[in-house]
């Protein structure tokens, strides 16, 4: 029996420990809601507002990067608000839009 017949064929499926960064991710599927956990009690109200604003800005920045908007100057307020509709969150304020662009600058 030839030696080539004894070798198993390599699989294109990644091993469970391999990175999935190179796998194509379909962008037309809706985003799955993130499991929410309770926030720590006893903080000032402003802390919760800022915390939630940062989370929203991060989600929007990721959605924009996934959709092909890679430069902060491409992310106008209208573009960010359309990404918010796409992922199913309330339209962001001007402050949140500014924070999204700042996150994109930092990611470069």
């Amino acid at each position: 029996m030839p030696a080539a017949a004894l070798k198993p064929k390599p699989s294109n499926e990644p091993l469970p420990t391999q990175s999935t960064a190179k796998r194509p991710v379909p962008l037309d599927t809706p985003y799955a809601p993130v499991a929410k956990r309770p926030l720590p009690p006893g903080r000032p109200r402003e802390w919760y507002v800022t915390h939630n604003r940062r989370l929203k800005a991060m989600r929007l920045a990721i959605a924009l990067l996934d959709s092909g908007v890679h430069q902060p100057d491409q992310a106008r307020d209208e573009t960010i608000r359309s990404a918010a509709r796409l992922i199913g969150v309330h339209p962001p304020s001007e402050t949140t839009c500014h924070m999204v662009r700042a996150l994109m600058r930092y990611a470069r």
Side-chain angles (χ1 to χ4, degrees):
M1 181 174 246
L6 297 176
K7 289 184 181 177
K9 291 185 178 180
S11 172
N12 289 340
E13 293 297 316
L15 297 174
T17 57
Q18 282 182 318
S19 170
T20 58
K22 294 180 183 170
R23 259 196 258 165
V25 177
L27 296 178
D28 56 349
T29 58
Y31 285 82
V34 178
K36 295 185 178 183
R37 297 183 314 199
L39 294 175
R43 305 270 172 115
R45 177 172 168 70
E46 187 59 33
W47 184 90
Y48 297 106
V49 171
T50 304
H51 175 77
N52 289 330
R53 188 184 306 271
R54 286 178 183 153
L55 289 178
K56 185 176 191 176
M58 192 172 8
R59 285 188 200 109
L60 288 168
I62 291 168
L64 287 168
L65 291 169
D66 285 347
S67 68
V69 177
H70 297 289
Q71 301 296 323
D73 55 336
Q74 294 174 322
R76 296 187 338 262
D77 287 356
E78 299 83 27
T79 309
I80 295 171
R81 290 187 177 117
S82 66
R85 276 192 301 277
L86 177 71
I87 64 173
V89 297
H90 288 285
S93 65
E94 289 182 21
T95 305
T96 306
C97 291
H98 181 77
M99 193 176 288
V100 169
R101 287 188 285 275
L103 283 170
M104 292 177 77
R105 270 186 216 99
Y106 183 76
R108 281 200 272 169

